[in-house]
Amino acid sequence: MNETKQIRVAVIGAGERGVYVLGARTAELWKETGITVRLLCDTNPDRLMESKAYLESRYAESGLDLTIDTETDYLRIMDRDDIDVVFVTNYTSAHREPTVAALKAGKRVYLDKPMATSVDDARAMLEAEADSGRSIIMGFTRRYEHSWRTLVGLLRDGRIGTLQTVLLRSVIPYARYLQRWHRSQERSGGALNDKVSHYFDALNWIAESRPVSMNAIGGRSSVFAPDPSAPRRCRECDRHCPYRALPSPQVSEIGSVYRLDPDYRRQDVGIFTRPSWSLAESEDAQIDNCVYAGDTDIIDHALITVCYENGVKASLFWNIFGPSAEDEESIELVGSSGRMRLTRITGVIDIVSDYGESHEILDARGTHFNSSHFGADVELLHAIRHHYHGSEPAANTKDGFESLRMVLATEESIRRDGASISLISTTPTG
Ligand SMILES: NC(=O)c1ccc[n+]([C@@H]2O[C@H](COP(=O)([O-])OP(=O)(O)OC[C@H]3O[C@@H](n4cnc5c(N)ncnc54)[C@H](O)[C@@H]3O)[C@@H](O)[C@H]2O)c1
């Protein structure tokens, strides 16, 4: 390590992202990054105990004998001088309070995306950040993915001339948004906030410009049309269902648990088999709410267009009921002299340049492609270390705020049957 200081982390929200993905990466990388998790905070005591045992065992596998403290109230960790950085990975609607408290306490903050569910929360975090004089690093993982960075590098080098239009296609098998806490618009800001916030940030990064207007159509498809006769949870249901999240006593298709969840399979998260999820009684902690239950208020598809100040135009085609497929997420950039298309799951960029004279297939997977988020989380931990030592992050809260505004503008446009929504009137400070 160049910078030898150990960086001691408290994770607020000891769930999938904070512990089983980012936390697990800290355990694998502690020797090179100096980052270790010293404290886990979660309002769910079962989750807390399970996560502590899991993470301590991951550190032990990596040769570090660590006892990780636990807390149920984030306020109790703020005056501890053995915590340097706080990872905010709890429900999106609860990002604000620990972020503001950590900044006030002089801690560095890693804030996961999406920034918030409301502009009020996002503004409060921006103000606390400005008062503290310490920037927040945000978790827009595509900014750290080798293939996306390669794509943007080629664009900036002029490989396809001047960027004109962008097409982002996301046809993803994410029924989990209807099964987990994301099913509450209030908690998550909906699937749109949880997933499309990534895409808006990526589009802004690629366009290198401010969005000036947007419009969208979308809503709730007929795929998950409410069925009042369906049992409330998978574990109480014996129907054959492609969205089954947990086995029932009657249906022994345990293999189907992961059938539509290639992300979980790839990242070896395995939360479905852990008791604090699989046996959870509180609705927030459950993972097997019926996709046909009528009480969720989130949308599952949208077709969105964005116009940028510099003339770039982007189109986003998104839904969460796609089949698991190799091409489920792709982005195509069209420039004045060529086009490039990245398929995220293969990490391959198909480049046609020089007005069609040249065609190249580029393997842009990078060294850590098989790790979580196609290697982005490994890069992110290195970025968190650099950020702690004073570097500016690749994605900050201004990016988070811009992305949130676009999510809210999309919702407004959908409510108004595709009306064009202006984005030029609001700025992070105004
Ligand atoms: N960067 C990425 O690619 C990425 C990927 C997944 C999730 N996320 C984000 O991470 C966050 C967590 O998502 P997840 O999938 O890990 O959810 P999760 O349910 O697995 O974990 C969240 C945990 O936070 C706890 N919690 C909720 N409110 C709390 C509070 N006030 N104080 C302490 N703990 C609290 C819950 O009990 C739960 O254990 C969300 O904002 C999500 O959008 C980001």
Side-chain angles (χ1 to χ4, degrees), residues 289-309:
N289 285 284
C290 180
V291 296
Y292 304 110
D295 61 346
T296 153
D297 51 358
I298 66 171
I299 68 165
D300 62 10
H301 71 283
L303 279 65
I304 307 163
T305 57
V306 188
C307 297
Y308 284 91
E309 211 163 37

Side-chain angles (χ1 to χ4, degrees), residues 219-424:
R220 193 60 185 279
S221 69
S222 60
V223 178
F224 304 114
D227 176 355
S229 71
R232 176 75 223 170
R233 302 176 64 179
C234 299
R235 19 188 285 224
E236 298 155 1
C237 176
D238 61 3
R239 299 179 182 189
H240 287 269
C241 174
Y243 305 109
R244 175 171 289 287
L246 284 177
S248 79
Q250 292 81 17
V251 181
S252 59
E253 290 176 85
I254 294 181
S256 74
V257 170
Y258 298 120
R259 200 163 76 86
L260 291 179
D261 262 311
D263 258 14
Y264 287 144
R265 203 167 45 218
R266 260 194 305 271
Q267 297 182 24
D268 191 25
V269 172
I271 62 166
F272 285 86
T273 56
R274 296 180 196 284
S276 77
W277 274 282
S278 62
L279 302 177
E281 288 306 326
S282 94
E283 195 182 311
D284 275 347
Q286 288 167 8
I287 52 170
D288 64 333
N289 285 284
C290 180
V291 296
Y292 304 110
D295 61 346
T296 153
D297 51 358
I298 66 171
I299 68 165
D300 62 10
H301 71 283
L303 279 65
I304 307 163
T305 57
V306 188
C307 297
Y308 284 91
E309 211 163 37
N310 64 359
V312 170
K313 293 173 186 67
S315 186
L316 213 155
F317 181 81
W318 168 75
N319 69 58
I320 61 168
F321 44 80
S324 175
E326 211 172 66
D327 66 351
E328 64 193 38
E329 184 178 318
S330 66
I331 181 158
E332 180 165 330
L333 312 185
V334 182
S336 52
S337 60
R339 68 105 176 102
M340 299 188 281
R341 186 170 50 240
L342 165 66
T343 305
R344 186 183 187 219
I345 289 185
T346 60
V348 167
I349 305 176
D350 184 313
I351 310 164
V352 177
S353 54
D354 296 332
Y355 303 91
E357 291 297 314
S358 161
H359 184 199
E360 185 187 349
I361 304 284
L362 185 70
D363 179 347
R365 287 178 295 177
T367 319
H368 305 292
F369 188 74
N370 292 327
S371 184
S372 55
H373 291 109
F374 304 96
D377 294 323
V378 172
E379 295 302 328
L380 188 51
L381 282 184
H382 286 288
I384 289 169
R385 175 168 66 99
H386 293 311
H387 177 248
Y388 180 77
H389 290 290
S391 301
E392 278 310 306
N396 60 28
T397 45
K398 305 273 184 308
D399 303 308
F401 187 83
E402 199 71 316
S403 164
L404 174 63
R405 286 198 318 137
M406 294 168 82
V407 168
L408 298 175
T410 301
E411 286 170 354
E412 187 182 342
S413 181
I414 290 172
R415 274 195 302 273
R416 292 171 51 196
D417 294 327
S420 178
I421 308 296
S422 169
L423 287 157
I424 42 183

Side-chain angles (χ1 to χ4, degrees), residues 44-270:
N44 177 334
D46 295 339
R47 179 74 41 86
L48 202 49
M49 287 305 119
E50 201 176 78
S51 298
K52 170 182 160 71
Y54 167 80
L55 204 50
E56 284 176 349
S57 76
R58 292 302 303 260
Y59 275 105
E61 280 166 26
S62 305
L64 187 61
D65 188 13
L66 203 60
T67 301
I68 300 176
D69 295 344
T70 56
E71 275 294 353
T72 49
D73 182 353
Y74 69 87
L75 285 172
R76 279 203 288 268
I77 67 178
M78 295 306 165
D79 56 2
R80 284 182 59 152
D81 56 14
D82 59 347
I83 296 298
D84 307 302
V85 177
V86 170
F87 286 6
V88 178
T89 55
N90 56 353
Y91 301 146
T92 307
S93 58
H95 281 179
R96 171 181 176 165
E97 291 79 9
T99 300
V100 170
L103 289 166
K104 282 195 176 143
K107 315 284 184 205
R108 299 311 295 252
V109 175
Y110 164 80
L111 172 62
D112 228 308
K113 56 47 64 183
M115 188 174 179
T117 54
S118 72
V119 165
D120 275 358
D121 281 3
R123 284 223 173 94
M125 288 187 262
L126 285 164
E127 276 166 27
E129 183 187 29
D131 290 348
S132 77
R134 290 157 171 250
S135 67
I136 293 174
I137 176 168
M138 280 212 63
F140 287 114
T141 38
R142 281 158 192 73
R143 297 250 196 173
Y144 297 94
E145 265 182 57
H146 189 265
S147 60
W148 285 73
R149 285 181 158 184
T150 305
L151 183 83
V152 174
L154 290 166
L155 173 70
R156 303 280 194 259
D157 287 347
R159 187 66 176 269
I160 56 167
T162 317
L163 183 65
Q164 305 295 319
T165 55
V166 184
L167 174 65
L168 202 159
R169 178 182 177 279
S170 169
V171 178
I172 50 176
Y174 270 47
R176 75 180 84 148
Y177 280 142
L178 295 160
Q179 295 168 320
R180 299 190 61 199
W181 58 270
H182 312 77
R183 65 199 299 280
S184 153
Q185 181 76 19
E186 196 187 331
R187 278 253 176 275
S188 65
L192 189 76
N193 196 30
D194 204 82
K195 180 53 79 175
V196 180
S197 59
H198 273 300
Y199 300 139
F200 286 144
D201 178 62
L203 292 177
N204 296 344
W205 171 41
I206 286 164
E208 276 190 299
S209 181
R210 284 199 65 196
V212 289
S213 66
M214 303 179 60
N215 65 298
I217 52 171
R220 193 60 185 279
S221 69
S222 60
V223 178
F224 304 114
D227 176 355
S229 71
R232 176 75 223 170
R233 302 176 64 179
C234 299
R235 19 188 285 224
E236 298 155 1
C237 176
D238 61 3
R239 299 179 182 189
H240 287 269
C241 174
Y243 305 109
R244 175 171 289 287
L246 284 177
S248 79
Q250 292 81 17
V251 181
S252 59
E253 290 176 85
I254 294 181
S256 74
V257 170
Y258 298 120
R259 200 163 76 86
L260 291 179
D261 262 311
D263 258 14
Y264 287 144
R265 203 167 45 218
R266 260 194 305 271
Q267 297 182 24
D268 191 25
V269 172

